[in-house]
Amino acid sequence: MKEIRRKGICYGGDYNPEQWPQEVWADDIRLMKMAGVNFVSVAIFSWALLQPSEDEFEFSWLDKIMDMMGEAGIGVDLATPTAAQPAWLSRTYPEILPVSKEGMRYSYGSRQCYCPNSTDWKRAASRIARKVVERYKDHPALVMWHTNNEYTCHVQECYCDNCAAAFRLWLEKRYGSVEGVNRVWGTKFWSQYYYDWMDILPPRKTTAQPNPAHVLDYRRFMNDSVLDLYLMEKKIIEDISPQVEVMTNFMMTWKDLDLFQWAEHVDVVTWNSYPDPDPSYDPSWTAIDHDIMRSLKGGKPFLLMEQAPSQVNWRRVNRAKAPGMMKLYSYQALAHGADGLMFFQWRQSRRGSEKFHSACVTHTGDEHSRVFREVVDLGSDLKMLEDLKDASYPSETAIVLDYENWWALEYENNQSSEVDYLENLRYFYKHFYERHIPVDFVHPLRSDLSRYKMIVVPFLYMLSREAGNRFRDYVKAGGRLVVGCGSGIVDEEEAVFEEGYPGALSGTLGLSVEEFDPLYPGQRVCLSFEGKEGKPDGEGDLWQDRIHTREAETVAWFSEGMMKGAPALTCNKLGKGEAWYMGIRPDKETLARILEGICRDSGIEALMDAPPSLEITCRENEKGRWYFLMNFSEENVCLSLKDKNYINPLTGRPAGAQIGLAPLEGAILLDVQ
Amino acid sequence: MKEIRRKGICYGGDYNPEQWPQEVWADDIRLMKMAGVNFVSVAIFSWALLQPSEDEFEFSWLDKIMDMMGEAGIGVDLATPTAAQPAWLSRTYPEILPVSKEGMRYSYGSRQCYCPNSTDWKRAASRIARKVVERYKDHPALVMWHTNNEYTCHVQECYCDNCAAAFRLWLEKRYGSVEGVNRVWGTKFWSQYYYDWMDILPPRKTTAQPNPAHVLDYRRFMNDSVLDLYLMEKKIIEDISPQVEVMTNFMMTWKDLDLFQWAEHVDVVTWNSYPDPDPSYDPSWTAIDHDIMRSLKGGKPFLLMEQAPSQVNWRRVNRAKAPGMMKLYSYQALAHGADGLMFFQWRQSRRGSEKFHSACVTHTGDEHSRVFREVVDLGSDLKMLEDLKDASYPSETAIVLDYENWWALEYENNQSSEVDYLENLRYFYKHFYERHIPVDFVHPLRSDLSRYKMIVVPFLYMLSREAGNRFRDYVKAGGRLVVGCGSGIVDEEEAVFEEGYPGALSGTLGLSVEEFDPLYPGQRVCLSFEGKEGKPDGEGDLWQDRIHTREAETVAWFSEGMMKGAPALTCNKLGKGEAWYMGIRPDKETLARILEGICRDSGIEALMDAPPSLEITCRENEKGRWYFLMNFSEENVCLSLKDKNYINPLTGRPAGAQIGLAPLEGAILLDVQ
Amino acid sequence: MKEIRRKGICYGGDYNPEQWPQEVWADDIRLMKMAGVNFVSVAIFSWALLQPSEDEFEFSWLDKIMDMMGEAGIGVDLATPTAAQPAWLSRTYPEILPVSKEGMRYSYGSRQCYCPNSTDWKRAASRIARKVVERYKDHPALVMWHTNNEYTCHVQECYCDNCAAAFRLWLEKRYGSVEGVNRVWGTKFWSQYYYDWMDILPPRKTTAQPNPAHVLDYRRFMNDSVLDLYLMEKKIIEDISPQVEVMTNFMMTWKDLDLFQWAEHVDVVTWNSYPDPDPSYDPSWTAIDHDIMRSLKGGKPFLLMEQAPSQVNWRRVNRAKAPGMMKLYSYQALAHGADGLMFFQWRQSRRGSEKFHSACVTHTGDEHSRVFREVVDLGSDLKMLEDLKDASYPSETAIVLDYENWWALEYENNQSSEVDYLENLRYFYKHFYERHIPVDFVHPLRSDLSRYKMIVVPFLYMLSREAGNRFRDYVKAGGRLVVGCGSGIVDEEEAVFEEGYPGALSGTLGLSVEEFDPLYPGQRVCLSFEGKEGKPDGEGDLWQDRIHTREAETVAWFSEGMMKGAPALTCNKLGKGEAWYMGIRPDKETLARILEGICRDSGIEALMDAPPSLEITCRENEKGRWYFLMNFSEENVCLSLKDKNYINPLTGRPAGAQIGLAPLEGAILLDVQ
């Protein structure tokens, strides 16, 4: 068991002092203390300064910073500085640079510019990581190891010859032989049959559609290749500094890494959140990200590793966060399970790519800016919220998230480019979000399903027989499984189930699907809950399935179009539970009709009776139940607190009988009963 | 004369048994018999399986399939499997892989990934083609030779050094000398003058507009290069198996091949039709494709070589064909001259790029699917329509289609990117389609023009003096020529006619065009048939010409804009005929006013008096006149059959006095008088 | 002092006789005389014909043309033919060909296909330029030297290894050392630190955002590299033919060259104007181009070196210029300071890329075309306007234009991609255009600011301390400076001013800006001139600044949004002048309110009292004041000329008491008092 050196709610940010003369450093510490900062991430992009050449290392400035932090009582999240290698390294070993699908080798001069299968890069990265870890493993300021930064943010795939060689080894490990590859990829068609390992290449730019299983396996291989980079650094750290927590910072709901797999290898989940201040941005999109991050390690609190105090610098229009918005998004992170709030970055750069990314200390350079004052204000709130630490999140409902399915489903030549896996997750999530029902995310194989009364399964196009069995067992044991259209089409080899759709879900759902028909954007199809010829009283879009029920009962029928009269919504009672299938994506009202019924039957209840525009969550620990109320809307919201006697933890005083929240205002209520 | 081994109306599809274990093959034959299948295409993508390495060949599985088909009485359209070479071949001879305009060499792993001027590829393709032809030339199941597949579907141009060398030879053959190239391309301008063959390159990506004659000649060269590939295979077949028909399957109205030229080298025209089930798709776009295919060999029936039983897999949203739609499109093919209906493919793949392309036997794997039942139903219709075979199509009207003009007109830097040659063909065609007037397509040089009472010439930007002479002779002999705006600008060298516009058409039309003005999208200009100052009673769009009449008479004048008062529509009486010129593209009503008048004068009549939403065609042979009525609209249509006594050939019974057609319903009426 | 050999108002065009057989040349001269042509540009693209191979030159045809022009009394603007090198040269020295950011080497076959740092190209270009200049330096037809053509029209940047090497030298000259580069580019962040010159590359395609100072310096380097090409040719000419004017033709308001810098090296500013005949094109966009060109050399008349008689060939839809439009745009050029009007090209090509670019002699080949008749008509006007020559343009108002700021501001990752520097210039310019107030453009460092009563500064994101000082001195001396939002953010190193925004403008404006907030497209924010809580009576868009006034007085306040209650418009009285700051981009009415007040206070007046739809300018010389009235609108405009007694210089007669102008009609009025 590792030692958790983080204290209270972590608060601070990325600190890149190498950008500033040393006289600024003392002032930084003065300002950090003013803001209540207790934790900073250091050296994330410092490789070039720490290693001027192949055999030369220079740690004096970092020594000094570590000592200053130690003296100031500020913990350090110290990075292996491998997120961007020095220019001299790229020049010396040009095969480090990644290659695009079209064969273009990228140039350096930005960041994250390396091939994940470059042995030159791995050797150099191991060396600098080892140097850093050895030097600072016993430093009193050290709190956590931060490896690299936002893996795959800029390079999701490399197609170079080194990757080709590594891909062959990966395939050999997975399939044993070239013949195994041929079988899974279906190469007997289109003359793609391989007779020799050397004939197999990455799915580089070719003349027509590539082989989809080839593409999927390359995605899996890239995920694994990058994970190996993390594991390489993690091993160095665990060898040398085994007691300190290790992590790498994830990005939001990011398609390119299987975070359920990755999370098994980090000591704490951390992630970077950059909601768009644009009013068209839906705050539930960040809520879902938080919920996923918390779910990755089965509900364990996470750290918000980066957020912007105000604007970022990489959108088309980089708006400032309006007064209050940063605090509200900070509350939201705590509300969904964060035990720490960090900013990128502490002091705003004067030069370089990120000079217009906001920071705690702005270009005014002093403590008087609006942004800095908001940082100080939040810091003083956090001091009152130390008891929140380690509080859990009580969900009885879960949504399935499967990264490999995401990859397979959004293969460029799939059946409908209107099907967007993330958009679907968000669509189903929003139902619960607006009803104030807590939701977790689960992986079909890696998560404990038995904890949930209901599990929703959006567009699980690909699943294994093992996953099918787990869902069946879940239902038999009393669970409610709600499966969305387009599920159960291919197995984990990306081969259509031999028994037809929905393959490994067929027995559980008690039906078969004969054919499917993706719908055009905006196209809606009516349903009826009254019978085959019933009056339309529901609608759906996106996709329709031709269902043949077996054991399942039909709950609603298509009432127009080519599926007219066929089942649209079915329910199969199995063991102690129920397995529902939606042969179309129900519109908001129809979905509510379906899910409200299932919730009622399952005993799933809202946290509070409140308007949908208010976001409400709850965390609980031995101090009580911490309710978070957040008003992301543009209207004032007023809520009666009725019979409960809440305490406001920021003041320690009772909360009163009702509460009013202005736009961008949040509140925390502690129920100690 | 070759032996025609096809029996009755061909019915079947692409059969790729190598995807399936042998136990499935027997079931395939059972299902084929159930569906009335008499013809299958085999081995189109089988190269990698037939030739495991440079000197190793493996035909046993194909022997078995051929024997099984022979025993089942199902004819085989046997492919030279050259549409996709094996991976080992691409790896051994990397110059086989094509190169983009930007210099990127494509990778393999898909299909049709070869340079048309690769000698390595040609040697290998000849060898496998010869092996196949030698082995199966006397097989009793053999009905037809299918070479390659959909030439230029994925690779329209290659820009590699082998192509550069071949291009120089092509230019030398065409122009004799570098000086000849200089003259035609006008290289004295922009310092492009060439002093040596080696200076001439393909029109690779350059800094500003390329030379348009250079680009046009490269397009011609690429068409010829690919045609040479076909001719190479054809020669092998004719040497070894001279009595069997040879073809390659064309795609729809495909810009990149001059199909009039190609058609001279196939024994039967075959093509692949993939109308979009989207309601916004206009079925006349498929009708025009059929009419073009039939016209390529002067009216000879063709084979529909591929169609989808339901959805395809390469659109943004791949909708299923609704019940009835496949049959109606099948009728449409017969209606326009098909003597065969084939599907891609017989049994739906479980793996690979095309696994979601529909097939006759769907992923349910049995005979109970809706799609399979529709295939069976169509097959039983076809048994009743055997007498339709070889029936001709009685057109008195033709539209000019000239592929080289298409290439020249749509050169990227031409005068208006709003001018879309295919869209224009479709625009003029639609007039006749809605009036139930049969239309052929003619090439200015390769077709017999004298068969037609009227010929419409949309946007013939480029034409040779020889073509001009043929049009003049056509008019003198009594034809009605209706020429659209923008015609007669350049000669076959892509040089502006020295005498000005419309060049080689000027004498026939009796006018000159001083200047032209392309119009903006949506911009319309009014015309008047009443005189220079007449009230506007017509409209047009796209393009306007400043016409000076000589012998021609003005029929309508521009009544606004910069051409106000100038002729907009003219008619020149010449010999026994008339040559019309439209100095703008008339809108639908104005075009109808013009063409209805000319039809009336020429004695061109509709096949039936029926609403425009109904598609009607007629084929005729010694059995009678076969009328096809097709309702692609979303409304029921009812038609009185009046005094005619039609027979329904599907039942052999009289058709009755009126006929009602639901949406997606078609009917066939046989007039035996 | 060079000899000005141009006579009267220059009139003619690009003459490319090498496209035509010699028998056409005599007819060209006949037609030129008919049109009043006195000046032609020759040999611009003739390199390949003048130099058939490395050591072979061929001048006989050019000798003949020069002699014919001399005999006809037509002056020649003789080109060094370096705008497009011969194919043999590109083939012999392939490193001449430029390389894209992605590493693709362009192919030849078009024009302007060379790397600006190719020593092979420079050697060859110097040689042919020297040959031409030596041969024709004393030719009696020679009037002016034309170097190259439209530098950077097609190639704005090259990223090849030769450029990389030259870039390092350029950086060494600018910054002295690698350490200097590191300091300015801020490479201590993101591990970009360089230890060796050889590590520094052009900003080639990389994985994430490049370093913005790196990109900016590369743009500066490319501008300087191309300027070196011009200076190389200029030096050859001045060595051999020192008395003849030298120039190169600029394009419109072209981002990629710092024309204020370039203009110091040309004897006369010349440029090519191609307004779009599309009615959506705003003629003030051409007016601004003219005003910039005139301003480049402090008000000296320029030559319109190219315009199209009718259509061009490179837009999506290439409309003809309607009758009258060419003349009106010609008047506009004279109106803003042109002393010459030239066409591209004289006779329309029959072949090649530009064959559909209009010409004086059209494809009809004779003098009867509408276009040619308009050319003749304009020529006869110009004979009556000879006295206009050298007239100046009386502006009291100026707008700042700074190319380096443009480059820095529109760096791909800047704070708002909605900020378009040119669009902003046009926005502020339009205010004066519609009010008939003459405007010059000034460079912060290169222009004399003291001549102006008011200077408007749109979006001066980047400025040097020296520029800041010049603006301060300007205000102190009595000028009115009106600075737009988003100004004063970075210094010339692209580093944020250490003292915060608006950096070097802060003292002059008497305020600081704490933070900024770019606004979304279409988003507007209300202002009030009545006070912090005042009723909204103004609006703005694009960007808002949080202003803290010091010495400045607040004139208007934000009345909504996140800046509510903060200053939106301020005025700082300093010395004898005033410095205004607009913390948002005022909408049209609000801007008018602000600028009208300042004009009134400064004594800046409109030229005439006339509707905004009429464009009005004035030039003046010893012959009087020449007023130009141009009606680009679609309505007739009628204007009373009141008490003034104007003369119509085209007739020499009094102009009358009022004047009516039809659409596309212009008039010239001479006030001789």
Side-chain angles (χ1 to χ4, degrees), chain A residues 184 190-191 195 199 205-207 209-210 415 417 493-494 496 501 514-515 517 520 523, chain B residues 45 48 84 91 107-111 278 316 318-320 350-351 353-356 363 370:
Chain A
V184 172
W190 276 20
S191 195
Y195 291 95
D199 290 340
K205 179 74 180 169
T206 181
T207 47
Q209 300 100 309
Q415 281 314 89
S417 43
E493 292 184 348
E494 233 268 315
V496 172
Y501 329 132
E514 180 193 324
E515 62 174 335
D517 179 36
Y520 288 112
Q523 195 186 352
Chain B
F45 293 112
R91 177 159 75 100
S107 184
Y108 56 87
S110 178
R111 65 180 205 183
D278 185 327
R316 274 188 57 80
N318 294 294
R319 291 215 59 185
R350 288 185 56 225
R351 301 174 190 263
S353 273
E354 303 209 76
K355 68 178 172 294
F356 295 120
H363 281 149
R370 172 188 76 85

Coordinates of all heavy atoms in Angstrom, one line a residue, chain A residues 184 190-191 195 199 205-207 209-210 415 417 493-494 496 501 514-515 517 520 523, chain B residues 45 48 84 91 107-111 278 316 318-320 350-351 353-356 363 370:
Chain A
V184 N -9.1 -13.8 -38.5 CA -9.9 -12.7 -37.8 C -10.2 -11.6 -38.7 O -11.3 -11.0 -38.7 CB -9.1 -12.3 -36.6 CG1 -9.8 -11.0 -35.9 CG2 -9.0 -13.4 -35.6
W190 N -11.3 -9.8 -51.0 CA -10.6 -8.6 -51.5 C -9.1 -8.9 -51.7 O -8.2 -8.0 -51.6 CB -10.8 -7.4 -50.6 CG -12.0 -6.6 -50.9 CD1 -13.1 -7.1 -51.6 CD2 -12.3 -5.3 -50.6 NE1 -14.1 -6.1 -51.7 CE2 -13.6 -4.9 -51.1 CE3 -11.6 -4.3 -49.9 CZ2 -14.1 -3.7 -50.9 CZ3 -12.1 -3.0 -49.7 CH2 -13.4 -2.7 -50.2
S191 N -8.7 -10.2 -51.7 CA -7.3 -10.6 -52.1 C -6.3 -10.1 -51.0 O -5.2 -9.8 -51.3 CB -7.0 -10.1 -53.5 OG -5.8 -10.7 -54.0
Y195 N 0.7 -14.1 -46.4 CA 1.4 -15.4 -46.3 C 2.7 -15.2 -45.4 O 3.4 -16.2 -45.2 CB 1.8 -15.9 -47.7 CG 0.6 -16.4 -48.5 CD1 0.0 -15.5 -49.4 CD2 0.1 -17.7 -48.3 CE1 -1.1 -16.0 -50.1 CE2 -1.0 -18.1 -49.1 CZ -1.6 -17.2 -50.0 OH -2.7 -17.7 -50.7
D199 N 4.5 -9.1 -44.7 CA 3.5 -8.5 -45.6 C 2.5 -7.6 -44.9 O 1.8 -6.8 -45.5 CB 2.7 -9.6 -46.4 CG 3.5 -10.3 -47.4 OD1 4.6 -9.8 -47.8 OD2 3.1 -11.5 -47.7
K205 N -2.4 5.0 -45.5 CA -3.4 5.5 -46.5 C -3.4 4.6 -47.7 O -2.3 4.4 -48.4 CB -2.9 6.9 -46.9 CG -3.7 7.6 -48.0 CD -5.0 8.0 -47.4 CE -5.9 8.7 -48.5 NZ -7.3 8.9 -48.0
T206 N -4.5 4.1 -48.0 CA -4.6 3.2 -49.2 C -5.7 3.7 -50.1 O -6.3 4.8 -49.9 CB -4.8 1.8 -48.7 OG1 -4.9 0.9 -49.9 CG2 -6.1 1.6 -47.9
T207 N -6.0 2.9 -51.1 CA -6.9 3.5 -52.2 C -8.4 3.4 -52.0 O -9.1 4.2 -52.5 CB -6.6 2.7 -53.5 OG1 -6.6 1.3 -53.2 CG2 -5.2 3.1 -54.1
Q209 N -11.5 1.6 -49.0 CA -11.7 1.3 -47.6 C -10.7 0.3 -47.1 O -10.4 -0.7 -47.7 CB -13.1 0.7 -47.3 CG -14.3 1.5 -47.6 CD -14.9 1.1 -48.9 OE1 -14.2 0.9 -49.9 NE2 -16.2 0.9 -48.9
P210 N -10.1 0.6 -45.9 CA -9.2 -0.4 -45.3 C -10.0 -1.5 -44.7 O -11.2 -1.4 -44.6 CB -8.4 0.4 -44.3 CG -9.4 1.5 -43.9 CD -10.2 1.8 -45.1
Q415 N -22.0 1.9 -40.6 CA -23.2 2.0 -41.3 C -23.9 3.3 -41.3 O -24.8 3.6 -42.1 CB -24.2 0.9 -40.8 CG -23.9 -0.5 -41.4 CD -23.7 -0.4 -42.9 OE1 -22.6 -0.2 -43.3 NE2 -24.7 -0.5 -43.6
S417 N -22.7 7.4 -40.4 CA -21.8 8.4 -39.7 C -22.6 9.3 -38.8 O -22.0 10.2 -38.1 CB -21.0 9.2 -40.8 OG -21.9 9.6 -41.8
E493 N -13.9 -10.0 -32.3 CA -13.1 -10.1 -33.5 C -13.6 -9.1 -34.6 O -13.0 -9.1 -35.7 CB -13.1 -11.5 -34.0 CG -12.3 -12.5 -33.0 CD -12.2 -13.9 -33.6 OE1 -12.9 -14.2 -34.6 OE2 -11.5 -14.7 -33.1
E494 N -14.6 -8.4 -34.3 CA -15.3 -7.5 -35.2 C -15.9 -8.3 -36.3 O -16.1 -7.9 -37.5 CB -14.3 -6.5 -35.8 CG -14.7 -5.0 -35.7 CD -15.5 -4.6 -36.9 OE1 -15.1 -4.9 -38.0 OE2 -16.6 -4.0 -36.8
V496 N -19.3 -10.4 -37.6 CA -20.8 -10.4 -37.3 C -21.1 -11.8 -36.6 O -20.5 -12.8 -37.0 CB -21.6 -10.3 -38.6 CG1 -23.0 -10.6 -38.3 CG2 -21.4 -8.9 -39.2
Y501 N -27.9 -11.0 -35.4 CA -28.0 -9.9 -34.3 C -29.0 -10.3 -33.3 O -30.0 -11.0 -33.7 CB -28.3 -8.6 -34.9 CG -27.8 -8.3 -36.3 CD1 -28.7 -7.7 -37.3 CD2 -26.5 -8.5 -36.7 CE1 -28.2 -7.5 -38.5 CE2 -26.0 -8.2 -37.9 CZ -26.9 -7.7 -38.9 OH -26.5 -7.4 -40.1
E514 N -33.5 -9.0 -37.4 CA -33.3 -9.5 -38.7 C -32.4 -8.5 -39.5 O -31.5 -8.9 -40.3 CB -34.6 -9.7 -39.4 CG -34.4 -10.3 -40.8 CD -35.7 -10.2 -41.6 OE1 -36.8 -10.4 -41.0 OE2 -35.6 -9.9 -42.8
E515 N -32.7 -7.3 -39.4 CA -32.0 -6.3 -40.2 C -32.1 -4.9 -39.5 O -33.0 -4.7 -38.7 CB -32.6 -6.2 -41.7 CG -34.1 -5.7 -41.7 CD -34.6 -5.5 -43.1 OE1 -33.8 -5.2 -44.1 OE2 -35.8 -5.6 -43.3
D517 N -31.8 -0.4 -40.1 CA -32.0 0.7 -41.1 C -31.6 2.0 -40.5 O -32.3 2.6 -39.7 CB -33.5 0.7 -41.6 CG -33.7 1.8 -42.6 OD1 -32.8 2.1 -43.4 OD2 -34.8 2.4 -42.5
Y520 N -31.9 8.9 -41.5 CA -31.2 10.2 -41.9 C -31.3 11.2 -40.8 O -32.1 11.1 -39.9 CB -31.9 10.8 -43.2 CG -31.5 10.0 -44.4 CD1 -32.5 9.2 -45.0 CD2 -30.2 9.9 -44.8 CE1 -32.1 8.5 -46.1 CE2 -29.9 9.2 -45.9 CZ -30.8 8.4 -46.5 OH -30.5 7.6 -47.6
Q523 N -34.6 12.6 -39.4 CA -35.7 11.7 -39.7 C -36.2 11.1 -38.4 O -35.4 10.6 -37.6 CB -35.2 10.6 -40.6 CG -36.3 9.9 -41.3 CD -35.8 8.7 -42.1 OE1 -34.6 8.6 -42.4 NE2 -36.7 7.9 -42.6
Chain B
F45 N -12.2 -11.3 -56.6 CA -11.1 -10.9 -55.7 C -10.3 -12.0 -55.2 O -9.8 -12.0 -54.0 CB -11.7 -10.1 -54.5 CG -12.4 -8.8 -55.0 CD1 -13.7 -8.6 -54.9 CD2 -11.6 -7.8 -55.4 CE1 -14.3 -7.4 -55.3 CE2 -12.2 -6.6 -55.8 CZ -13.5 -6.4 -55.8
A48 N -5.1 -13.5 -54.4 CA -4.2 -13.9 -53.3 C -4.4 -15.4 -53.0 O -3.5 -16.1 -52.6 CB -4.4 -13.1 -52.1
A84 N -7.5 -6.9 -57.5 CA -6.7 -6.6 -56.3 C -5.6 -7.7 -56.2 O -5.9 -8.9 -56.1 CB -7.6 -6.8 -55.0
R91 N 4.5 -6.1 -51.9 CA 5.7 -5.9 -51.2 C 6.9 -6.2 -52.0 O 8.0 -5.5 -51.9 CB 5.7 -6.9 -50.0 CG 7.0 -6.8 -49.2 CD 6.9 -7.3 -47.8 NE 6.8 -8.7 -47.7 CZ 7.8 -9.5 -47.3 NH1 9.0 -9.0 -47.1 NH2 7.7 -10.8 -47.3
S107 N -0.4 2.9 -49.8 CA -0.1 1.6 -49.2 C -1.1 0.6 -49.7 O -2.2 0.9 -50.1 CB -0.1 1.7 -47.7 OG 0.3 0.5 -47.1
Y108 N -0.8 -0.7 -49.5 CA -1.8 -1.7 -49.9 C -2.6 -2.1 -48.7 O -2.4 -1.6 -47.6 CB -1.2 -2.9 -50.6 CG -0.1 -3.6 -49.8 CD1 -0.4 -4.6 -48.8 CD2 1.2 -3.3 -49.9 CE1 0.6 -5.2 -48.1 CE2 2.2 -3.9 -49.1 CZ 1.9 -4.9 -48.2 OH 2.9 -5.5 -47.5
G109 N -3.6 -3.0 -48.8 CA -4.4 -3.5 -47.7 C -5.9 -3.2 -48.0 O -6.7 -3.4 -47.1
S110 N -6.1 -2.7 -49.2 CA -7.5 -2.5 -49.5 C -7.8 -3.2 -50.9 O -7.6 -4.4 -50.9 CB -7.8 -1.0 -49.6 OG -9.1 -0.7 -50.0
R111 N -8.1 -2.5 -51.9 CA -8.2 -3.1 -53.2 C -7.9 -2.1 -54.3 O -7.8 -1.0 -54.0 CB -9.6 -3.7 -53.4 CG -10.7 -2.7 -53.5 CD -12.1 -3.4 -53.7 NE -13.0 -2.4 -54.3 CZ -14.3 -2.7 -54.5 NH1 -14.8 -3.9 -54.2 NH2 -15.1 -1.8 -55.1
D278 N -32.3 7.0 -50.3 CA -32.7 8.3 -49.8 C -33.8 8.9 -50.7 O -33.7 8.9 -51.9 CB -31.5 9.3 -49.9 CG -31.7 10.7 -49.3 OD1 -32.9 11.1 -49.4 OD2 -30.8 11.2 -48.8
R316 N -22.7 7.9 -46.3 CA -22.7 8.5 -44.9 C -23.7 7.8 -44.0 O -23.4 7.5 -42.9 CB -22.9 10.0 -44.9 CG -21.7 10.8 -45.2 CD -22.0 12.3 -45.0 NE -22.5 12.6 -43.6 CZ -21.7 12.7 -42.5 NH1 -20.4 12.6 -42.6 NH2 -22.3 13.0 -41.4
N318 N -26.3 4.6 -44.5 CA -26.6 3.5 -45.4 C -27.9 2.9 -45.1 O -28.1 1.9 -44.5 CB -25.5 2.4 -45.3 CG -24.2 3.0 -45.8 OD1 -24.0 3.3 -47.0 ND2 -23.2 3.1 -44.9
R319 N -29.0 3.5 -45.7 CA -30.3 3.0 -45.4 C -30.6 1.8 -46.2 O -30.0 1.5 -47.2 CB -31.3 4.1 -45.9 CG -31.3 5.4 -45.1 CD -32.7 6.0 -44.9 NE -33.6 5.0 -44.3 CZ -34.9 5.2 -44.2 NH1 -35.4 6.4 -44.6 NH2 -35.7 4.3 -43.6
A320 N -31.5 1.0 -45.6 CA -32.0 -0.2 -46.3 C -33.0 0.2 -47.4 O -33.6 1.2 -47.3 CB -32.8 -1.1 -45.2
R350 N -19.2 -11.9 -43.1 CA -19.2 -11.7 -41.7 C -18.0 -10.8 -41.3 O -18.0 -10.3 -40.2 CB -19.1 -13.0 -40.9 CG -20.4 -13.9 -40.9 CD -20.2 -15.1 -40.1 NE -19.9 -14.7 -38.7 CZ -18.9 -15.3 -38.0 NH1 -18.2 -16.3 -38.5 NH2 -18.6 -14.9 -36.8
R351 N -17.1 -10.7 -42.2 CA -15.8 -10.0 -41.8 C -15.5 -9.1 -43.0 O -15.9 -9.3 -44.1 CB -14.7 -10.9 -41.5 CG -15.0 -11.9 -40.4 CD -13.9 -12.9 -40.2 NE -14.2 -14.0 -39.3 CZ -13.9 -14.0 -38.0 NH1 -13.2 -13.0 -37.5 NH2 -14.3 -15.0 -37.2
S353 N -14.3 -5.4 -45.2 CA -14.9 -4.1 -45.5 C -16.3 -4.1 -46.0 O -17.0 -3.1 -45.8 CB -14.1 -3.5 -46.7 OG -13.0 -2.8 -46.2
E354 N -16.8 -5.2 -46.6 CA -18.1 -5.2 -47.1 C -19.1 -6.0 -46.3 O -20.2 -6.3 -46.8 CB -18.0 -5.7 -48.6 CG -17.1 -4.9 -49.4 CD -17.5 -4.8 -50.9 OE1 -18.4 -4.1 -51.3 OE2 -16.8 -5.5 -51.7
K355 N -18.8 -6.2 -45.0 CA -19.7 -7.1 -44.3 C -21.1 -6.4 -44.0 O -22.0 -7.1 -43.8 CB -19.1 -7.5 -43.0 CG -18.9 -6.4 -41.9 CD -18.3 -7.1 -40.7 CE -17.8 -6.1 -39.7 NZ -16.7 -5.2 -40.1
F356 N -21.2 -5.1 -44.2 CA -22.5 -4.5 -44.0 C -23.1 -4.1 -45.4 O -24.2 -3.5 -45.4 CB -22.5 -3.3 -43.0 CG -22.2 -3.8 -41.7 CD1 -21.0 -3.3 -41.0 CD2 -23.0 -4.7 -41.0 CE1 -20.7 -3.7 -39.7 CE2 -22.7 -5.2 -39.7 CZ -21.6 -4.7 -39.1
H363 N -27.4 -11.7 -42.9 CA -26.7 -12.2 -41.7 C -27.5 -13.2 -40.9 O -27.0 -13.9 -40.0 CB -26.3 -11.0 -40.9 CG -25.0 -10.4 -41.3 ND1 -24.8 -9.0 -41.2 CD2 -24.0 -10.8 -42.0 CE1 -23.6 -8.7 -41.7 NE2 -23.1 -9.8 -42.2
R370 N -36.6 -11.0 -45.0 CA -37.4 -10.2 -45.9 C -36.6 -10.0 -47.2 O -37.2 -10.2 -48.3 CB -37.6 -8.8 -45.3 CG -38.2 -7.8 -46.3 CD -38.3 -6.4 -45.7 NE -37.0 -5.7 -45.7 CZ -36.4 -5.0 -46.7 NH1 -37.1 -4.9 -47.8 NH2 -35.3 -4.4 -46.6

